[in-house]
């Protein structure tokens, strides 16, 4: 474990990279680099070594082993006679999971385990705002402490490799740079509450299909440049206390038994000194898993004493097949974390707070900043209420709740505002709301995959529309001044344990949307989903198209505020929306899902890197998102033209709000290397900054990029290398809308 040698306030400022200034203000753009250099910490484990060694010396083999496997669904065993409590865990990507029974998945039935439901990972990433990641982490960390948890099984930060991924809604982004910039402040925010994170799922866990056994084959350069940066940053910058080993294999070995990933990379190269917890039932071999670096085995399919790290481990040690020092090593790591988060000596430990108005405000702020305006022709948005007497609200998603749903972690919450409720909360009483369900969520009883079965097809939907529901929807649209149809997906359809079969909208929604748009040309289409869908026809025919997410307790209020103009949308897509599935890299080259093995043949060309390099036009590009106002980028410049390898590029962009209302814009900096000696993407995101500007206001956004960020991983010498020569600094507001191009040289 490591100390934080700088203050919380300074760490926070450094992490979010305060980089916006008015004329004459102090430029703090160097904070990102300062944080990376100074937020390294010093080991605190030494101050506990004597205590820990003394405790281990007093423990029986059985007591030590009890600390290394689940003794209940989400806790390891206590050693009460030595004052060591259980080590408790909770799922947490959407908020702290409801309490379940100690020996089954059945709800415990408590009346005090309600929690705040936070926006899903895709929504958080769409804010392009590390401050929001910190607030999310800090808020959910406080809730975990209030629920007396030691470890939050979050965040989930695997790269989005395919738009069909069942957990795309939960993961952050397709880009490794954006991924790490959102991960680090999240980690810091959680752990400031004396709660350990569990970075998951380490690593290369990019599909649900065959996830229990598929052997992922990735070349070393792609692994280092695309799939590991956020995990590495969680250790070297965020000082993460915990990792979760993934289900799948990597280069022949299960990831909870993978010495290269757990020892060579994670501990030896990155200096991780926390604990590795297995995903539930992800261990397959006692000796291999323990010796490779897994510390705690969790799972559910059999009695707890039958786990690989339970009676089988005791037997293996007593028979001399496993040296007891490996048990001691794992126990010591667990105790180090427990002492660091004050779980053993809890004097001064944070108490936390649960479901507070402050936390609901955090959820609201993240949600309102995540919503992406995809299209707004004809000025339908924001809705002008001056001449509006009636609004048609159409779609099952107008009333669908997603806090609990699908297979995997959900949240039991007392507050989940739906879109319909949000509009009722925000619209004046003089405006009549005409609601029609429009389509009904339905699945084939004969074909629907059982939750937990790994299948490419996932839940098989019933897509035939009910004529009566369609008629009601069309009539509501005809008899209203404006229609809003809430379509998309839900957490029963996008779910852990299965990937989708296609990009098609489920439940016959596309046909319904077309009928509603014919009935009322003033139709606003709002998609609520976590992953891309085929929206080409809808985008072409609609005048106004909005993308929202599984957006937490306050999602309906945030969405209503965006539609009505009380909030100016500023979300940017954290992934590429393709026109068709075959345009996406893993599908274009038939490299998904594999069978027993999947080879990542697209290499480093993941997401927009593929689309931009191969010159394939997406439906909506990475980083895309409109506003109700307009911005102009002026006087884009670097601080100089030539740099040395140990220096930092300082990019200043004057952003002017040339519209009529206050809004936020995100400056995105991409870098390309012409005439490279190795394969390179057309461009790679290397910096970004977001600022709020009033109408007519100009601000300078300063974005620092360390030269080392421009390196590639040289597999010949297993190190990062920065090529000498010319680079292009490309500044814009999406990967496809580059507004300025500056050449620099690295000597």
């Amino acid at each position: 474990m490591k100390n934080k040698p700088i203050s919380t306030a300074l760490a926070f400022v450094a992490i979010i990279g305060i980089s916006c200034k008015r004329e004459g203000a102090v430029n703090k753009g160097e904070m990102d680099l300062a944080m990376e250099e100074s937020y390294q910490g010093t080991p605190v484990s030494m101050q506990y070594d004597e205590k820990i060694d003394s405790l281990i010396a007093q423990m029986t083999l059985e007591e030590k082993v009890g600390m290394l496997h689940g003794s209940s669904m989400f806790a390891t065993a206590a050693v009460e006679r030595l004052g060591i409590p259980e080590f408790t865990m909770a799922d947490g990507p959407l908020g702290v999971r409801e309490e379940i029974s100690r020996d089954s998945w059945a709800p415990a039935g408590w009346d005090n385990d309600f929690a705040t439901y936070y926006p899903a990972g895709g929504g958080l990433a769409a804010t392009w705002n590390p401050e929001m990641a910190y607030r999310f982490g800090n808020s959910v960390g406080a809730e975990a402490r209030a629920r007396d948890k030691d470890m939050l099984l979050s965040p989930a930060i695997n790269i989005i490799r395919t738009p069909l991924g069942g957990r795309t809604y939960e993961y952050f982004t397709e880009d490794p740079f954006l991924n790490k910039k959102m991960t680090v402040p999240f980690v810091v925010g959680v752990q400031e509450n004396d709660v350990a994170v569990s970075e998951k799922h380490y690593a290369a866990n990019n599909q649900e299909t065959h996830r229990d056994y598929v052997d992922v084959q990735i070349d070393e350069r792609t692994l280092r440049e695309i799939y590991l940066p956020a995990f590495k940053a969680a250790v070297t910058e965020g000082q993460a206390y915990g990792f979760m080993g993934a289900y799948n294999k990597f280069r022949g070995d299960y990831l909870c038994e993978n010495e290269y990933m757990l020892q060579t990379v994670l501990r030896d190269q990155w200096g991780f000194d926390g604990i590795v917890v297995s995903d539930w039932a992800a261990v397959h071999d006692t000796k291999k898993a323990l010796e490779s670096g897994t510390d705690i085995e969790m799972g559910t399919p059999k009695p707890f004493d039958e786990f690989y790290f339970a009676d089988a481990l005791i037997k293996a040690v007593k028979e001399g097949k496993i040296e007891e020092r490996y048990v001691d090593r794992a126990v010591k790591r667990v105790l180090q974390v427990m002492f660091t988060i004050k779980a053993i000596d809890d004097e001064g430990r944070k108490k936390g707070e649960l479901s507070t108005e402050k936390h609901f405000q955090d959820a609201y702020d993240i949600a309102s900043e995540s919503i992406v305006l995809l299209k707004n022709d004809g000025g339908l948005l924001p809705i002008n209420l001056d001449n509006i007497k009636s609004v048609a609200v159409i779609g099952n998603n107008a009333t669908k709740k997603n806090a609990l749903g699908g297979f995997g972690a959900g949240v039991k919450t007392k507050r989940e505002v739906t879109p319909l409720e949000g509009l009722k909360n925000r619209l004046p009483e003089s405006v009549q709301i005409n609601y029609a369900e429009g389509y009904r969520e339905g699945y084939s009883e004969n074909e629907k995959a059982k939750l937990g079965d790994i299948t490419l097809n996932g839940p098989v939907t019933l897509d035939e529309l009910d004529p009566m529901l369609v008629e009601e929807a069309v009539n509501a649209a005809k008899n209203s001044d404006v229609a809003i149809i809430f379509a998309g997906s839900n957490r029963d359809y996008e779910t852990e344990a299965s990937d989708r079969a296609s990009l098609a909208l489920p439940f016959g929604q596309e046909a319904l949307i077309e009928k509603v748009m014919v009935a009322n040309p003033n139709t606003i289409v709002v998609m609520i989903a976590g992953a891309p869908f085929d929206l080409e026809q809808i985008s072409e025919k609609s005048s106004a198209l909005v993308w929202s997410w599984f957006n937490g307790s306050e999602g309906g209020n945030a969405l209503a505020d965006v539609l009505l103009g009380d909030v100016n949308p500023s979300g940017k897509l954290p992934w590429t929306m393709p026109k068709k599935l075959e345009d996406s890299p893993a599908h274009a080259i038939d490299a998904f899902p594999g069978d027993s093995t999947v080879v990542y043949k697209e290499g480093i060309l993941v997401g927009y890197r593929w689309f931009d390099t191969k010159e394939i036009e997406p439906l909506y590009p990475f980083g895309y998102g409109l506003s109700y106002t307009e911005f102009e980028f002026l006087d884009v410049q670097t601080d100089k033209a030539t740099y040395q390898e140990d220096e930092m590029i300082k990019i200043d962009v004057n952003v002017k709000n040339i519209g009529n209302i206050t809004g936020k814009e995100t400056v995105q900096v991409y870098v390309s290397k012409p005439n490279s000696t190795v394969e390179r993407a057309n461009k790679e995101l290397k910096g970004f900054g977001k600022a709020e500007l009033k109408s007519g206001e100009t601000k300078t956004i300063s974005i620092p990029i360390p030269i080392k960020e421009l390196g590639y991983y040289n597999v010949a010498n297993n190190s990062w290398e920065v090529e000498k020569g010319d680079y292009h600094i490309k500044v814009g507001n999406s990967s496809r809308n580059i507004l300025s191009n500056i050449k620099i040289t690295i000597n």
Side-chain angles (χ1 to χ4, degrees):
M1 299 305 94
K2 294 187 171 66
N3 271 327
K4 301 182 181 69
I6 51 179
S7 70
T8 297
L10 179 56
F12 171 62
V13 168
I15 288 159
I16 66 172
I18 292 177
S19 57
C20 176
K21 60 175 182 173
R22 292 183 176 84
E23 187 176 354
V26 176
N27 179 10
K28 297 182 181 177
E30 297 184 14
M31 280 300 202
D32 271 328
L33 184 61
M35 179 274 291
E36 188 171 334
E37 291 177 343
S38 64
Y39 196 76
Q40 298 303 306
T42 55
V44 301
S45 57
M46 289 193 302
Q47 65 181 288
Y48 304 125
D49 270 356
E50 188 174 339
K51 291 181 180 179
I52 291 171
D53 291 343
S54 175
L55 286 170
I56 292 175
Q58 298 175 67
M59 294 168 67
T60 66
L61 175 61
E62 288 74 14
E63 287 173 330
K64 288 186 285 190
V65 167
M67 294 183 63
L68 304 185
H69 69 86
S71 62
S72 67
M73 299 294 282
F74 281 94
T76 61
V79 185
E80 293 182 1
R81 70 182 184 87
L82 297 177
I84 302 172
E86 290 184 327
F87 186 72
T88 58
M89 311 173 201
D91 274 326
L94 304 177
V96 184
R97 185 176 186 153
E98 69 177 318
E99 207 68 31
I100 63 169
S101 302
R102 289 187 62 84
D103 58 358
S104 79
W105 289 106
W110 293 9
D111 60 5
N112 62 349
D113 59 343
F114 293 93
T116 305
Y117 164 36
Y118 296 89
L124 175 61
T127 69
W128 283 62
N129 189 345
E131 179 183 356
M132 291 299 168
Y134 172 84
R135 286 180 60 182
F136 191 143
N138 195 258
S139 191
V140 74
E143 299 223 338
R145 275 305 308 128
R147 289 275 301 281
D148 201 26
K149 304 304 178 185
D150 298 316
M151 173 175 277
L152 187 72
L153 305 178
S154 180
I157 61 171
N158 292 100
I159 287 290
I160 295 169
R161 179 176 179 251
T162 166
L164 300 183
R167 302 185 85 159
T168 294
Y169 79 91
E170 183 181 345
Y171 294 154
F172 286 173
T173 173
E174 68 187 22
D175 178 74
F177 183 84
L178 178 59
N179 204 11
K180 72 179 182 179
K181 290 301 181 184
M182 301 302 285
T183 295
V184 172
F186 190 105
V187 170
V188 172
V190 170
Q191 295 190 162
E192 283 181 350
N193 292 279
D194 298 327
V195 176
V197 297
S198 181
E199 291 289 331
K200 64 184 189 183
H201 306 85
Y202 183 72
N205 182 199
N206 308 105
Q207 64 187 61
E208 295 300 280
T209 307
H210 313 319
R211 70 174 183 178
D212 284 328
Y213 58 82
V214 69
D215 188 1
V216 177
Q217 298 291 321
I218 308 176
D219 69 88
E220 192 68 14
R221 183 181 168 206
T222 298
L223 176 71
R224 300 288 182 150
E225 292 188 18
I226 303 296
Y227 295 97
L228 292 187
F231 288 107
K232 179 181 179 181
V235 175
T236 61
E237 300 176 35
Q239 312 302 330
Y241 299 158
F243 267 53
M244 179 185 288
Y247 282 118
N248 52 291
K249 293 179 180 178
F250 177 72
R251 298 178 185 167
D253 287 322
Y254 284 106
L255 276 157
C256 289
E257 302 157 18
N258 196 303
E259 184 176 4
Y260 178 68
M261 294 298 289
L262 295 181
Q263 187 62 46
T264 302
V265 176
L266 181 60
R267 297 191 186 276
D268 295 344
Q269 295 179 2
W270 298 349
F272 178 69
D273 57 2
I275 57 177
V276 174
V277 178
S278 78
D279 207 338
W280 269 229
V283 171
H284 303 82
D285 183 283
T286 303
K287 179 179 176 67
K288 196 170 184 179
L290 184 67
E291 293 182 357
S292 295
T294 294
D295 301 303
I296 296 177
E297 179 196 6
M298 300 300 292
T300 57
K302 52 190 176 183
F304 299 117
D305 59 4
E306 294 181 15
F307 281 17
Y308 290 96
F309 279 19
D311 288 354
L313 176 54
I314 295 172
K315 183 173 184 289
V317 172
K318 289 182 175 179
E319 292 178 351
K321 296 178 180 178
I322 296 176
E323 296 178 51
E324 192 166 352
R325 66 184 179 91
Y326 287 108
V327 174
D328 292 347
R329 181 183 70 175
V331 171
K332 185 165 187 173
R333 290 169 180 165
V334 175
L335 287 172
Q336 284 174 353
V337 170
M338 294 182 75
F339 272 109
T340 301
I341 63 175
K342 305 181 180 71
I344 295 178
D345 180 4
D346 65 359
E347 183 177 353
R349 192 179 193 189
K350 299 285 182 67
K351 301 300 182 184
E353 53 187 4
L354 194 63
S355 293
T356 64
E357 288 303 318
K358 177 182 178 297
H359 291 175
F360 288 128
Q361 184 67 46
D362 290 333
Y364 170 87
D365 289 345
I366 296 165
S368 62
E369 198 160 321
S370 74
I371 296 166
V372 184
L373 179 60
L374 296 176
K375 186 177 181 181
N376 192 24
D377 294 349
L380 267 182
L381 289 170
I383 298 171
N384 186 343
L385 295 177
D386 290 346
N387 299 310
I388 300 293
K389 295 182 179 179
S390 58
V391 175
V393 177
I394 298 167
N396 181 275
N397 263 356
T399 60
K400 178 73 176 179
K401 295 190 174 184
N402 289 295
L404 291 170
F407 179 85
V411 181
K412 186 171 80 173
T413 184
K414 290 184 177 180
R415 183 186 302 181
E416 182 179 356
V417 180
T418 66
L420 178 57
E421 291 169 340
L423 286 168
K424 287 180 177 179
N425 291 339
R426 298 309 199 242
L427 286 170
E429 293 183 2
S430 60
V431 176
Q432 179 178 331
I433 296 177
N434 300 315
Y435 172 67
E437 185 178 14
Y439 70 91
R440 189 163 289 148
E441 176 188 0
Y443 304 93
S444 169
E445 293 183 3
N446 295 325
E447 297 180 79
K448 180 182 177 183
K450 295 178 181 179
L451 293 177
D453 287 352
I454 310 305
T455 167
L456 178 61
N457 293 324
V460 179
T461 63
L462 299 174
D463 295 327
E464 187 174 338
L465 291 168
D466 184 326
M468 290 185 62
L469 294 182
V470 173
E471 183 179 1
E472 290 174 0
V474 168
N475 287 336
K478 284 181 178 178
N479 295 312
S480 302
D481 296 319
V482 63
I484 311 172
I485 183 164
F486 294 92
S489 183
N490 56 60
R491 286 196 56 244
D492 292 315
Y493 186 60
E494 292 184 61
T495 176
E496 178 184 351
S498 64
D499 296 318
R500 291 181 290 144
S502 76
L503 291 181
L505 279 174
F507 318 127
Q509 292 178 84
E510 185 166 347
L512 173 67
I513 293 169
E514 291 188 4
K515 292 178 187 296
V516 170
M517 288 193 294
V518 170
N520 189 334
N522 295 325
T523 294
I524 299 161
V525 180
V526 179
M527 303 299 300
I528 298 174
F533 281 88
D534 180 358
L535 300 184
E536 187 170 16
Q537 292 301 312
I538 292 172
S539 177
E540 182 180 322
K541 296 176 181 178
S542 64
S543 297
L545 181 59
V546 175
W547 186 277
S548 189
W549 311 85
F550 307 139
N551 238 350
S553 286
E554 286 285 331
N557 285 333
L559 188 50
D561 285 342
V562 167
L563 296 175
L564 298 175
D566 294 318
V567 170
N568 192 346
S570 65
K572 303 283 186 178
L573 290 178
W575 34 248
T576 303
M577 187 180 293
K579 289 185 176 180
K580 56 182 185 293
L581 182 62
E582 294 76 19
D583 289 341
S584 294
H587 302 271
I589 56 178
D590 194 27
F592 172 87
D595 187 7
S596 59
T597 300
V598 59
V599 181
Y600 288 19
K601 293 185 289 186
E602 72 278 10
I604 62 171
L605 299 182
V606 177
Y608 71 90
R609 287 166 164 79
W610 171 272
F611 284 84
D612 292 354
T613 303
K614 301 293 184 180
E615 298 183 346
I616 300 169
E617 189 71 26
L619 182 60
Y620 292 107
F622 173 79
Y624 175 88
L626 303 176
S627 171
Y628 293 151
T629 190
E630 294 184 16
F631 300 95
E632 194 172 48
F633 289 10
L634 305 167
D635 304 320
V636 180
Q637 59 185 348
T638 57
D639 58 325
K640 54 184 182 178
T642 303
Y643 298 87
Q644 302 299 315
E645 190 172 337
D646 60 349
E647 293 184 311
M648 180 169 60
I649 308 166
K650 298 176 183 178
I651 302 160
D652 284 347
V653 184
N654 289 334
V655 181
K656 184 176 182 180
N657 183 344
I658 59 175
N660 297 321
I661 62 173
T662 298
K664 297 178 181 179
E665 178 62 307
T666 301
V667 175
Q668 302 168 33
V669 180
Y670 299 84
V671 178
S672 65
K673 175 68 177 78
N675 304 314
S676 175
T677 59
V678 296
E679 180 187 25
R680 295 266 191 165
N682 174 274
K683 64 178 78 74
E684 300 175 357
L685 182 72
K686 294 298 179 183
F688 61 92
K690 189 170 187 176
E692 181 176 70
L693 297 92
K694 298 176 183 177
S695 174
E697 183 179 15
T698 299
K699 288 183 179 179
T700 299
I701 296 180
S702 296
I703 300 173
I705 302 178
I707 294 295
K708 65 180 181 179
E709 280 284 0
L710 309 187
Y712 73 94
Y713 192 79
N714 188 329
V715 296
N717 55 24
N718 295 318
S719 65
W720 290 90
E721 182 174 311
V722 177
E723 285 186 276
K724 310 299 184 185
D726 295 339
Y727 288 76
H728 289 171
I729 307 296
K730 301 181 178 183
V731 178
N733 58 9
S734 80
S735 71
R736 285 298 177 102
N737 192 33
I738 301 302
L739 303 172
S740 181
N741 192 338
I742 300 174
K743 187 178 79 171
I744 64 164
T745 301
I746 300 175
N747 290 329

